[in-house]
Amino acid sequence: MWRCINRLDFGKKYCHNSPTVEESILQRAVMRAIMETAQQNLGVLQTLKVHIGMGLQSEQTEDNSMELQIRIAEIDAEFKAMLAKISTDTVDAFDEEKAKRLMDEKARLQQQLGNIRDGQLKREQTQSRLDDIYTILDGLKNRPMGYDEQIVRQLLECITVDSKEQITVIFVGGLKVVQPLID
């Protein structure tokens, strides 16, 4: 049985009209909402997938990571050369200002390199998640399924029990579907 947590914790103080719903009825309604949405919106979903993919591609920043790595290697070589010139009698000839500039530039370049890698990883993860979601939706279009917690968690953001008669299912991305609760 499903019951509003506020009703369970506080009684009728906050949740005056909270229904009690049998879990299996709730699960069937959720799966009907997913199935109907998948069947009705395949064209929309494919268009959405294309647009999201284009958005991911437009987010790509210029990948100049190779140039950054080369410049970091040049800085390392230049710094090592500066250190190699130091001997016990020429310590005063060491250019601390130049060394600091080189190390600051190296740190900045390494930060840029990290940002490029982070952005690329984020895009890959988003694309992978989208591919998983659309694979599930494509599989649902002609095949009824029983309740599956993993599918529900991947596809839905929220389920609201509106009354004894209906729920509102909110998909990831904001699409809302009102679904009747049928025994």
Side-chain angles (χ1 to χ4, degrees):
M1 298 300 259
W2 177 90
R3 190 69 189 243
C4 175
I5 191 69
N6 287 326
R7 180 71 176 259
L8 292 174
D9 289 346
F10 303 106
K12 291 185 177 186
K13 183 177 180 182
Y14 297 111
C15 203
H16 304 289
N17 299 316
S18 174
T20 299
V21 180
E22 188 177 321
E23 187 76 18
S24 62
I25 294 172
L26 185 60
Q27 290 175 349
R28 285 193 300 274
V30 168
M31 290 310 292
R32 273 194 317 278
I34 292 171
M35 295 293 292
E36 289 172 11
T37 301
Q39 290 169 353
Q40 292 172 359
N41 297 311
L42 281 178
V44 173
L45 292 173
Q46 292 302 330
T47 303
L48 180 62
K49 182 179 180 182
V50 168
H51 285 287
I52 291 172
M54 289 183 339
L56 288 174
Q57 289 176 354
S58 71
E59 278 183 16
Q60 289 182 346
T61 55
E62 182 181 337
D63 186 358
N64 58 347
S65 57
M66 187 59 77
E67 291 87 6
L68 295 174
Q69 291 173 354
I70 290 170
R71 180 61 187 141
I72 289 170
E74 290 171 349
I75 290 171
D76 286 341
E78 191 173 345
F79 191 74
K80 285 179 185 174
M82 287 174 65
L83 290 177
K85 289 181 181 178
I86 298 175
S87 65
T88 53
D89 44 310
T90 62
V91 171
D92 293 335
F94 183 73
D95 188 350
E96 288 183 41
E97 212 172 284
K98 182 177 181 180
K100 182 176 177 353
R101 274 195 322 270
L102 288 173
M103 291 300 105
D104 288 347
E105 182 182 1
K106 180 179 177 180
R108 185 179 48 79
L109 294 172
Q110 287 174 325
Q111 179 67 37
Q112 288 177 355
L113 201 54
N115 290 343
I116 289 171
R117 288 182 186 136
D118 290 346
Q120 185 177 12
L121 181 61
K122 183 180 174 186
R123 284 187 298 279
E124 288 171 1
Q125 289 171 339
T126 301
Q127 185 63 51
S128 175
R129 184 161 184 240
L130 283 172
D131 289 344
D132 290 346
I133 289 170
Y134 288 111
T135 299
I136 291 168
L137 289 174
D138 287 343
L140 289 175
K141 64 183 170 186
N142 293 318
R143 178 172 57 99
M145 292 183 64
Y147 184 82
D148 185 322
E149 187 76 25
Q150 183 179 5
I151 290 173
V152 170
R153 290 193 179 276
Q154 285 183 325
L155 295 176
L156 303 184
E157 184 176 311
C158 177
I159 301 166
T160 304
V161 177
D162 301 322
S163 67
K164 282 187 203 181
E165 292 84 28
Q166 79 177 22
I167 62 172
T168 300
V169 178
I170 303 172
F171 287 81
V172 171
L175 175 66
K176 291 183 181 183
V177 175
V178 175
Q179 185 69 40
L181 290 172
I182 303 169
D183 285 336

